[in-house]
Each structure stands twice: as structure tokens, then as C-alpha cells.
Amino acid sequence: MKQKKRRVDILVLSDIHLGTYGCHAKELLFYLKSIKPAMVILNGDIVDVWQFSKNYWPGSHMKVVKHLLKWIGNGVKTYYITGNHDEMLRRFTGLRMGSLQVVNKLVLDLPDGKKAWFFHGDVFDVTMQYSRWLAKLGSIGYDILILINRLANFISQNILKKGKLSISKRIKEGVKSAVAFINNFEKISADIGISNGFGYVACGHIHHPEIKTITNQEGSIVYMNSGDWVENLSALEFADGEWTIYKFSKTDREAMKSNQESDEKEPDSAGLFDNMLLEFNILRQ
């Protein structure tokens, strides 16, 4: 059954982390196929270059890349904002290829007359500022935790017949809350946004979907975070003059299962993948 596509004026995705075990690429692909965006903002950490390996690149991850490329090929205006896990792309800032543009930050004029400021947000992370190797080590540990979480979920759902667990999310939220408290991540981004006269500021990085108004002595701003596709499975959507958070739901999962074709086969993407791997190796040198 073909899905009816929803019209979205602006789609904001971040922290997909393609190339890692934690990435929910199948769910993301189902979501992408359900919408028709006029503009796409990829707000960092789309491909996890830190952990990129040919040993793990499922067909579902390639399908997400191909779907995004299809949008770009069809003329959908797409901005790729670099993050910390795909920081190697920052050397290509300003690059334009058809409807795709690579940037470090982005400012848009919205229909309500306000300006929206988009950036990934790793610039406010002390672990990135003072110890990059520690941040990368933490990323590897987090990926291992995701695997443990999946095993725990399999046992809980299939053997114990209980609900889904979220061990990794609970641990991560505890750590990230402490980091956010030290950094005042949301407050700092909001303060800078207000001082520059922006009406909205949208980030990624901390894997916490949010839309809220933050006020200081100079004024107020709407702070937004698109979340991630590791645990929250979320995105920001702008449609009919309003920002909302999309979250992959149980209904979406049921619809995804019912729409799966029994004879569906993974595409043979070895050739394309080998080219991508070669490019990554060249850029790392």
C-alpha cells in the first residue's frame, strides 16, 4: 500500500549516525517516504565518520542515503550543516552541488518575519572543546551500550514478555544532563540567538528533542532541538506556519511492518559503497 505523503515546508534532521549499530535507518526511511518536504536541513552527525567502517553498513543505511540523494536530485533545497561526528566535511563549507549546500550554520527568514538560526551545537560541548579523543572514546562506549540495550530489549520483549527497556537512554540522559548543566547548552544558544535578533534557534547534538521559549533580560527566543535517530527517532517539521516535533510512534511501527513486502531484497550497493569508503579514506589523509 502506497503511503500518502504529508507536505512539510521545512524538515530538520540531525544525529542520524548512519554507520553505527544504534541508527534506526529502517524507521527513518519509512518516515522519509511518508513526507514531501520543500526544504531539508541536515543538522549534523548524519553519517558517523568517527565509527565509519565497511564492516558495518547495512542496506537500510544506504537506502536512507539514496532517498536523500533522490530528493536532492529532484531539486529539493538541502542544507548539510556539519557536526562533530562528520566534522571532516567542514573543509567543504560553502560547496554547492545542485540543490545541496554544505554549511557550518544557517539563517533563514521564516514567513512570520522572524529569523531562524540553525547549527549543530557541538561548539558548546566541553568534551569537544578540551578533549576530542575523550569524546570519541565516549562515542564508542555509547555504541557498545546501544548493543547491550538491544540485547536487553530482546530478552525483555521476547522471553520475559515485558515492555521495551531504555537502559542506554537513562544512562545517557543522566550524563548529558550533567554536561548540559555545566555548559548551559540551551541557555547559551538562546542567549546568543536573542543577542543577534533571531526568533528561533535550532540545534542537534544533545539528542534531546525540544521546542520551548527561553527568555532573558534582552528578550525571548524559541529554542528547538531535532533530537536523533538512535533513541528518540525524532525530527523537526515546519508546516502551516508552525514548528512541531515528529516522533516515530507505535502506530508508525505497525504501519511500517504492514507495508513491508515479503519479497523485498536489499539492493546491491557494494560498488557505490566502495567508492564512498575510498573518498573517506582520502579525506582522512
Side-chain angles (χ1 to χ4, degrees):
M1 182 182 296
K2 194 173 182 179
Q3 293 175 266
K4 184 178 180 180
K5 299 182 184 296
R6 291 188 296 108
R7 176 74 180 183
V8 176
D9 296 322
I10 303 175
L11 168 66
V12 184
L13 294 166
S14 69
D15 301 275
I16 298 175
H17 292 279
L18 290 168
T20 66
Y21 293 104
C23 173
H24 287 264
K26 292 181 179 179
E27 290 84 350
L28 174 57
L29 184 62
F30 175 83
Y31 167 59
L32 297 180
K33 289 182 177 180
S34 73
I35 59 176
K36 186 177 181 180
M39 177 185 294
V40 177
I41 298 174
L42 303 173
N43 201 359
D45 291 0
I46 305 305
V47 177
D48 198 318
V49 180
W50 283 5
Q51 301 184 62
F52 186 84
S53 170
K54 188 176 180 179
N55 295 327
Y56 186 77
W57 186 266
S60 58
H61 291 218
M62 180 59 72
K63 286 182 179 180
V64 169
V65 174
K66 290 176 70 175
H67 196 88
L68 294 174
L69 290 176
K70 180 180 178 181
W71 279 348
I72 294 170
N74 289 337
V76 177
K77 187 66 177 179
T78 303
Y79 294 96
Y80 195 122
I81 301 175
T82 55
N84 51 307
H85 284 254
D86 47 18
E87 61 184 347
M88 57 180 289
L89 295 178
R90 285 175 177 161
R91 68 181 67 181
F92 299 107
T93 298
L95 175 67
R96 295 173 183 265
M97 295 180 63
S99 61
L100 171 67
Q101 183 176 354
V102 180
V103 296
N104 285 330
K105 57 185 177 180
L106 176 68
V107 177
L108 293 178
D109 292 310
L110 297 185
D112 60 4
K114 297 180 180 179
K115 292 182 180 292
W117 176 37
F118 302 85
F119 69 103
H120 183 64
D122 56 295
V123 66
F124 297 143
D125 194 335
V126 294
T127 60
M128 285 297 299
Q129 291 177 5
Y130 298 108
S131 186
R132 183 163 298 186
W133 69 266
L134 183 60
K136 291 185 178 182
L137 183 62
S139 177
I140 296 173
Y142 176 56
D143 209 30
I144 294 174
L145 186 60
I146 289 295
L147 289 176
I148 297 174
N149 200 153
R150 287 194 172 185
L151 176 60
N153 274 325
F154 177 82
I155 295 174
S156 177
Q157 293 178 297
N158 297 282
I159 299 178
L160 301 179
K161 303 300 181 182
K162 293 185 178 181
K164 190 175 182 180
L165 302 174
S166 187
I167 300 173
S168 59
K169 186 175 180 180
R170 290 182 181 180
I171 295 176
K172 175 176 168 294
E173 284 182 347
V175 175
K176 283 294 184 180
S177 294
V179 175
F181 178 78
I182 296 173
N183 291 331
N184 292 313
F185 182 92
E186 297 176 350
K187 184 178 183 302
I188 292 175
S189 57
D191 287 346
I192 295 175
I194 292 172
S195 65
N196 283 277
F198 300 132
Y200 305 90
V201 56
C203 305
H205 188 56
I206 60 174
H207 293 206
H208 183 69
E210 183 75 84
I211 296 179
K212 65 180 180 182
T213 300
I214 298 179
T215 303
N216 65 15
Q217 295 179 344
E218 296 182 44
S220 63
I221 194 171
V222 176
Y223 166 85
M224 303 183 292
N225 196 295
S226 46
D228 65 284
W229 284 87
V230 176
E231 293 171 325
N232 293 292
L233 282 62
S234 60
L236 285 173
E237 296 181 352
F238 182 73
D240 300 323
E242 182 181 5
W243 285 101
T244 58
I245 295 175
Y246 164 85
K247 282 193 175 183
F248 191 85
S249 64
K250 290 183 179 179
T251 302
D252 292 326
R253 190 171 298 281
E254 292 171 358
M256 183 180 74
K257 290 181 179 179
S258 65
N259 287 345
Q260 286 178 340
E261 298 179 1
S262 59
D263 60 346
E264 182 181 5
K265 296 181 180 180
E266 296 289 351
D268 182 10
S269 56
L272 178 57
F273 183 85
D274 287 338
N275 290 334
M276 290 175 59
L277 183 61
L278 177 61
E279 291 296 329
F280 278 135
N281 287 333
I282 292 174
L283 292 173
R284 280 174 170 172
Q285 296 176 357

PDB file of all heavy atoms in Angstrom, residues 160-185:
ATOM      1  N   LEU A 160      10.830 -12.490  28.505  1.00  0.00           N
ATOM      2  CA  LEU A 160      10.112 -12.104  29.711  1.00  0.00           C
ATOM      3  C   LEU A 160       8.720 -11.549  29.419  1.00  0.00           C
ATOM      4  O   LEU A 160       7.917 -11.388  30.329  1.00  0.00           O
ATOM      5  CB  LEU A 160      10.923 -11.057  30.490  1.00  0.00           C
ATOM      6  CG  LEU A 160      12.327 -11.484  30.930  1.00  0.00           C
ATOM      7  CD1 LEU A 160      13.023 -10.344  31.662  1.00  0.00           C
ATOM      8  CD2 LEU A 160      12.251 -12.729  31.822  1.00  0.00           C
ATOM      9  N   LYS A 161       8.468 -11.250  28.108  1.00  0.00           N
ATOM     10  CA  LYS A 161       7.168 -10.718  27.682  1.00  0.00           C
ATOM     11  C   LYS A 161       6.811  -9.423  28.406  1.00  0.00           C
ATOM     12  O   LYS A 161       5.674  -9.185  28.780  1.00  0.00           O
ATOM     13  CB  LYS A 161       6.062 -11.756  27.905  1.00  0.00           C
ATOM     14  CG  LYS A 161       6.297 -13.084  27.211  1.00  0.00           C
ATOM     15  CD  LYS A 161       6.411 -12.929  25.700  1.00  0.00           C
ATOM     16  CE  LYS A 161       6.629 -14.278  25.016  1.00  0.00           C
ATOM     17  NZ  LYS A 161       6.795 -14.131  23.550  1.00  0.00           N
ATOM     18  N   LYS A 162       7.814  -8.590  28.595  1.00  0.00           N
ATOM     19  CA  LYS A 162       7.600  -7.289  29.226  1.00  0.00           C
ATOM     20  C   LYS A 162       7.825  -6.187  28.197  1.00  0.00           C
ATOM     21  O   LYS A 162       8.088  -6.438  27.042  1.00  0.00           O
ATOM     22  CB  LYS A 162       8.545  -7.124  30.420  1.00  0.00           C
ATOM     23  CG  LYS A 162       8.256  -8.076  31.567  1.00  0.00           C
ATOM     24  CD  LYS A 162       9.144  -7.779  32.760  1.00  0.00           C
ATOM     25  CE  LYS A 162       8.809  -8.703  33.928  1.00  0.00           C
ATOM     26  NZ  LYS A 162       9.660  -8.418  35.120  1.00  0.00           N
ATOM     27  N   GLY A 163       7.710  -4.964  28.650  1.00  0.00           N
ATOM     28  CA  GLY A 163       7.843  -3.831  27.753  1.00  0.00           C
ATOM     29  C   GLY A 163       9.273  -3.552  27.340  1.00  0.00           C
ATOM     30  O   GLY A 163      10.219  -4.197  27.796  1.00  0.00           O
ATOM     31  N   LYS A 164       9.410  -2.569  26.455  1.00  0.00           N
ATOM     32  CA  LYS A 164      10.717  -2.181  25.943  1.00  0.00           C
ATOM     33  C   LYS A 164      11.489  -1.400  26.995  1.00  0.00           C
ATOM     34  O   LYS A 164      10.956  -0.530  27.678  1.00  0.00           O
ATOM     35  CB  LYS A 164      10.539  -1.326  24.683  1.00  0.00           C
ATOM     36  CG  LYS A 164      11.826  -1.066  23.937  1.00  0.00           C
ATOM     37  CD  LYS A 164      11.545  -0.320  22.636  1.00  0.00           C
ATOM     38  CE  LYS A 164      12.814  -0.083  21.849  1.00  0.00           C
ATOM     39  NZ  LYS A 164      12.548   0.630  20.585  1.00  0.00           N
ATOM     40  N   LEU A 165      12.770  -1.719  27.130  1.00  0.00           N
ATOM     41  CA  LEU A 165      13.634  -1.023  28.076  1.00  0.00           C
ATOM     42  C   LEU A 165      14.374   0.112  27.380  1.00  0.00           C
ATOM     43  O   LEU A 165      14.440   0.159  26.163  1.00  0.00           O
ATOM     44  CB  LEU A 165      14.654  -2.002  28.674  1.00  0.00           C
ATOM     45  CG  LEU A 165      14.084  -3.221  29.396  1.00  0.00           C
ATOM     46  CD1 LEU A 165      15.219  -4.153  29.806  1.00  0.00           C
ATOM     47  CD2 LEU A 165      13.273  -2.801  30.613  1.00  0.00           C
ATOM     48  N   SER A 166      14.949   0.996  28.173  1.00  0.00           N
ATOM     49  CA  SER A 166      15.741   2.087  27.605  1.00  0.00           C
ATOM     50  C   SER A 166      16.919   2.371  28.530  1.00  0.00           C
ATOM     51  O   SER A 166      17.068   3.460  29.070  1.00  0.00           O
ATOM     52  CB  SER A 166      14.882   3.339  27.434  1.00  0.00           C
ATOM     53  OG  SER A 166      15.605   4.335  26.735  1.00  0.00           O
ATOM     54  N   ILE A 167      17.748   1.346  28.691  1.00  0.00           N
ATOM     55  CA  ILE A 167      18.908   1.474  29.575  1.00  0.00           C
ATOM     56  C   ILE A 167      19.846   2.568  29.096  1.00  0.00           C
ATOM     57  O   ILE A 167      20.260   3.438  29.861  1.00  0.00           O
ATOM     58  CB  ILE A 167      19.664   0.131  29.650  1.00  0.00           C
ATOM     59  CG1 ILE A 167      18.728  -0.960  30.197  1.00  0.00           C
ATOM     60  CG2 ILE A 167      20.902   0.266  30.538  1.00  0.00           C
ATOM     61  CD1 ILE A 167      19.341  -2.339  30.148  1.00  0.00           C
ATOM     62  N   SER A 168      20.197   2.529  27.812  1.00  0.00           N
ATOM     63  CA  SER A 168      21.144   3.494  27.267  1.00  0.00           C
ATOM     64  C   SER A 168      20.624   4.918  27.384  1.00  0.00           C
ATOM     65  O   SER A 168      21.376   5.853  27.668  1.00  0.00           O
ATOM     66  CB  SER A 168      21.449   3.165  25.803  1.00  0.00           C
ATOM     67  OG  SER A 168      20.264   3.187  25.032  1.00  0.00           O
ATOM     68  N   LYS A 169      19.309   5.084  27.157  1.00  0.00           N
ATOM     69  CA  LYS A 169      18.736   6.423  27.222  1.00  0.00           C
ATOM     70  C   LYS A 169      18.794   6.978  28.638  1.00  0.00           C
ATOM     71  O   LYS A 169      19.116   8.150  28.848  1.00  0.00           O
ATOM     72  CB  LYS A 169      17.292   6.401  26.723  1.00  0.00           C
ATOM     73  CG  LYS A 169      16.672   7.779  26.620  1.00  0.00           C
ATOM     74  CD  LYS A 169      15.284   7.714  26.004  1.00  0.00           C
ATOM     75  CE  LYS A 169      14.672   9.102  25.893  1.00  0.00           C
ATOM     76  NZ  LYS A 169      13.315   9.063  25.300  1.00  0.00           N
ATOM     77  N   ARG A 170      18.493   6.145  29.621  1.00  0.00           N
ATOM     78  CA  ARG A 170      18.518   6.598  31.007  1.00  0.00           C
ATOM     79  C   ARG A 170      19.924   6.992  31.437  1.00  0.00           C
ATOM     80  O   ARG A 170      20.125   8.029  32.076  1.00  0.00           O
ATOM     81  CB  ARG A 170      17.985   5.498  31.926  1.00  0.00           C
ATOM     82  CG  ARG A 170      16.489   5.262  31.786  1.00  0.00           C
ATOM     83  CD  ARG A 170      16.001   4.209  32.752  1.00  0.00           C
ATOM     84  NE  ARG A 170      14.572   3.962  32.600  1.00  0.00           N
ATOM     85  CZ  ARG A 170      13.884   3.071  33.326  1.00  0.00           C
ATOM     86  NH1 ARG A 170      14.514   2.359  34.245  1.00  0.00           N
ATOM     87  NH2 ARG A 170      12.586   2.917  33.129  1.00  0.00           N
ATOM     88  N   ILE A 171      20.896   6.151  31.078  1.00  0.00           N
ATOM     89  CA  ILE A 171      22.288   6.467  31.435  1.00  0.00           C
ATOM     90  C   ILE A 171      22.747   7.720  30.712  1.00  0.00           C
ATOM     91  O   ILE A 171      23.334   8.624  31.307  1.00  0.00           O
ATOM     92  CB  ILE A 171      23.206   5.281  31.084  1.00  0.00           C
ATOM     93  CG1 ILE A 171      22.851   4.075  31.956  1.00  0.00           C
ATOM     94  CG2 ILE A 171      24.671   5.666  31.267  1.00  0.00           C
ATOM     95  CD1 ILE A 171      23.632   2.829  31.609  1.00  0.00           C
ATOM     96  N   LYS A 172      22.449   7.785  29.403  1.00  0.00           N
ATOM     97  CA  LYS A 172      22.892   8.920  28.601  1.00  0.00           C
ATOM     98  C   LYS A 172      22.260  10.216  29.076  1.00  0.00           C
ATOM     99  O   LYS A 172      22.907  11.254  29.144  1.00  0.00           O
ATOM    100  CB  LYS A 172      22.556   8.680  27.132  1.00  0.00           C
ATOM    101  CG  LYS A 172      22.863   9.847  26.226  1.00  0.00           C
ATOM    102  CD  LYS A 172      22.580   9.472  24.801  1.00  0.00           C
ATOM    103  CE  LYS A 172      22.602  10.700  23.931  1.00  0.00           C
ATOM    104  NZ  LYS A 172      21.523  11.633  24.220  1.00  0.00           N
ATOM    105  N   GLU A 173      20.954  10.169  29.411  1.00  0.00           N
ATOM    106  CA  GLU A 173      20.281  11.384  29.873  1.00  0.00           C
ATOM    107  C   GLU A 173      20.877  11.872  31.175  1.00  0.00           C
ATOM    108  O   GLU A 173      20.964  13.069  31.424  1.00  0.00           O
ATOM    109  CB  GLU A 173      18.783  11.127  30.023  1.00  0.00           C
ATOM    110  CG  GLU A 173      18.050  11.095  28.691  1.00  0.00           C
ATOM    111  CD  GLU A 173      16.560  10.884  28.865  1.00  0.00           C
ATOM    112  OE1 GLU A 173      16.146  10.511  29.985  1.00  0.00           O
ATOM    113  OE2 GLU A 173      15.815  11.099  27.887  1.00  0.00           O
ATOM    114  N   GLY A 174      21.305  10.950  32.013  1.00  0.00           N
ATOM    115  CA  GLY A 174      21.922  11.349  33.263  1.00  0.00           C
ATOM    116  C   GLY A 174      23.237  12.053  33.026  1.00  0.00           C
ATOM    117  O   GLY A 174      23.518  13.101  33.597  1.00  0.00           O
ATOM    118  N   VAL A 175      24.072  11.495  32.131  1.00  0.00           N
ATOM    119  CA  VAL A 175      25.366  12.098  31.807  1.00  0.00           C
ATOM    120  C   VAL A 175      25.174  13.418  31.066  1.00  0.00           C
ATOM    121  O   VAL A 175      25.779  14.431  31.401  1.00  0.00           O
ATOM    122  CB  VAL A 175      26.210  11.132  30.960  1.00  0.00           C
ATOM    123  CG1 VAL A 175      27.497  11.810  30.515  1.00  0.00           C
ATOM    124  CG2 VAL A 175      26.506   9.868  31.745  1.00  0.00           C
ATOM    125  N   LYS A 176      24.296  13.414  30.066  1.00  0.00           N
ATOM    126  CA  LYS A 176      24.083  14.615  29.262  1.00  0.00           C
ATOM    127  C   LYS A 176      23.473  15.733  30.103  1.00  0.00           C
ATOM    128  O   LYS A 176      23.736  16.908  29.846  1.00  0.00           O
ATOM    129  CB  LYS A 176      23.163  14.295  28.083  1.00  0.00           C
ATOM    130  CG  LYS A 176      23.861  13.553  26.958  1.00  0.00           C
ATOM    131  CD  LYS A 176      24.926  14.410  26.299  1.00  0.00           C
ATOM    132  CE  LYS A 176      25.554  13.708  25.130  1.00  0.00           C
ATOM    133  NZ  LYS A 176      26.590  14.524  24.487  1.00  0.00           N
ATOM    134  N   SER A 177      22.654  15.372  31.079  1.00  0.00           N
ATOM    135  CA  SER A 177      22.066  16.405  31.936  1.00  0.00           C
ATOM    136  C   SER A 177      23.156  17.124  32.716  1.00  0.00           C
ATOM    137  O   SER A 177      23.111  18.346  32.891  1.00  0.00           O
ATOM    138  CB  SER A 177      21.047  15.776  32.908  1.00  0.00           C
ATOM    139  OG  SER A 177      19.950  15.258  32.220  1.00  0.00           O
ATOM    140  N   ALA A 178      24.142  16.343  33.185  1.00  0.00           N
ATOM    141  CA  ALA A 178      25.247  16.957  33.922  1.00  0.00           C
ATOM    142  C   ALA A 178      26.059  17.856  33.003  1.00  0.00           C
ATOM    143  O   ALA A 178      26.432  18.973  33.376  1.00  0.00           O
ATOM    144  CB  ALA A 178      26.139  15.870  34.520  1.00  0.00           C
ATOM    145  N   VAL A 179      26.343  17.377  31.790  1.00  0.00           N
ATOM    146  CA  VAL A 179      27.106  18.179  30.831  1.00  0.00           C
ATOM    147  C   VAL A 179      26.324  19.431  30.456  1.00  0.00           C
ATOM    148  O   VAL A 179      26.875  20.530  30.373  1.00  0.00           O
ATOM    149  CB  VAL A 179      27.423  17.349  29.565  1.00  0.00           C
ATOM    150  CG1 VAL A 179      28.095  18.217  28.517  1.00  0.00           C
ATOM    151  CG2 VAL A 179      28.319  16.170  29.917  1.00  0.00           C
ATOM    152  N   ALA A 180      24.992  19.254  30.230  1.00  0.00           N
ATOM    153  CA  ALA A 180      24.169  20.396  29.857  1.00  0.00           C
ATOM    154  C   ALA A 180      24.110  21.413  30.982  1.00  0.00           C
ATOM    155  O   ALA A 180      24.062  22.622  30.738  1.00  0.00           O
ATOM    156  CB  ALA A 180      22.754  19.931  29.494  1.00  0.00           C
ATOM    157  N   PHE A 181      24.117  20.923  32.222  1.00  0.00           N
ATOM    158  CA  PHE A 181      24.083  21.841  33.368  1.00  0.00           C
ATOM    159  C   PHE A 181      25.358  22.663  33.423  1.00  0.00           C
ATOM    160  O   PHE A 181      25.323  23.873  33.671  1.00  0.00           O
ATOM    161  CB  PHE A 181      23.936  21.047  34.670  1.00  0.00           C
ATOM    162  CG  PHE A 181      23.940  21.894  35.903  1.00  0.00           C
ATOM    163  CD1 PHE A 181      22.814  22.599  36.280  1.00  0.00           C
ATOM    164  CD2 PHE A 181      25.089  22.001  36.684  1.00  0.00           C
ATOM    165  CE1 PHE A 181      22.818  23.391  37.409  1.00  0.00           C
ATOM    166  CE2 PHE A 181      25.103  22.780  37.815  1.00  0.00           C
ATOM    167  CZ  PHE A 181      23.963  23.485  38.186  1.00  0.00           C
ATOM    168  N   ILE A 182      26.493  22.033  33.178  1.00  0.00           N
ATOM    169  CA  ILE A 182      27.783  22.743  33.202  1.00  0.00           C
ATOM    170  C   ILE A 182      27.859  23.725  32.037  1.00  0.00           C
ATOM    171  O   ILE A 182      28.274  24.865  32.172  1.00  0.00           O
ATOM    172  CB  ILE A 182      28.950  21.737  33.139  1.00  0.00           C
ATOM    173  CG1 ILE A 182      28.947  20.857  34.388  1.00  0.00           C
ATOM    174  CG2 ILE A 182      30.288  22.467  33.012  1.00  0.00           C
ATOM    175  CD1 ILE A 182      29.954  19.713  34.343  1.00  0.00           C
ATOM    176  N   ASN A 183      27.484  23.270  30.883  1.00  0.00           N
ATOM    177  CA  ASN A 183      27.590  24.088  29.676  1.00  0.00           C
ATOM    178  C   ASN A 183      26.464  25.091  29.501  1.00  0.00           C
ATOM    179  O   ASN A 183      26.592  26.063  28.741  1.00  0.00           O
ATOM    180  CB  ASN A 183      27.622  23.193  28.425  1.00  0.00           C
ATOM    181  CG  ASN A 183      28.889  22.392  28.326  1.00  0.00           C
ATOM    182  OD1 ASN A 183      29.934  22.815  28.803  1.00  0.00           O
ATOM    183  ND2 ASN A 183      28.807  21.225  27.720  1.00  0.00           N
ATOM    184  N   ASN A 184      25.336  24.819  30.166  1.00  0.00           N
ATOM    185  CA  ASN A 184      24.121  25.625  29.934  1.00  0.00           C
ATOM    186  C   ASN A 184      23.826  25.689  28.441  1.00  0.00           C
ATOM    187  O   ASN A 184      23.616  26.762  27.862  1.00  0.00           O
ATOM    188  CB  ASN A 184      24.289  27.045  30.493  1.00  0.00           C
ATOM    189  CG  ASN A 184      24.353  27.065  31.989  1.00  0.00           C
ATOM    190  OD1 ASN A 184      23.540  26.428  32.657  1.00  0.00           O
ATOM    191  ND2 ASN A 184      25.321  27.772  32.536  1.00  0.00           N
ATOM    192  N   PHE A 185      23.852  24.486  27.827  1.00  0.00           N
ATOM    193  CA  PHE A 185      23.739  24.379  26.381  1.00  0.00           C
ATOM    194  C   PHE A 185      22.570  25.188  25.817  1.00  0.00           C
ATOM    195  O   PHE A 185      22.727  26.022  24.919  1.00  0.00           O
ATOM    196  CB  PHE A 185      23.588  22.898  25.994  1.00  0.00           C
ATOM    197  CG  PHE A 185      23.499  22.650  24.517  1.00  0.00           C
ATOM    198  CD1 PHE A 185      24.640  22.376  23.784  1.00  0.00           C
ATOM    199  CD2 PHE A 185      22.282  22.688  23.847  1.00  0.00           C
ATOM    200  CE1 PHE A 185      24.576  22.131  22.417  1.00  0.00           C
ATOM    201  CE2 PHE A 185      22.205  22.451  22.482  1.00  0.00           C
ATOM    202  CZ  PHE A 185      23.357  22.183  21.772  1.00  0.00           C
TER     203      PHE A 185
END
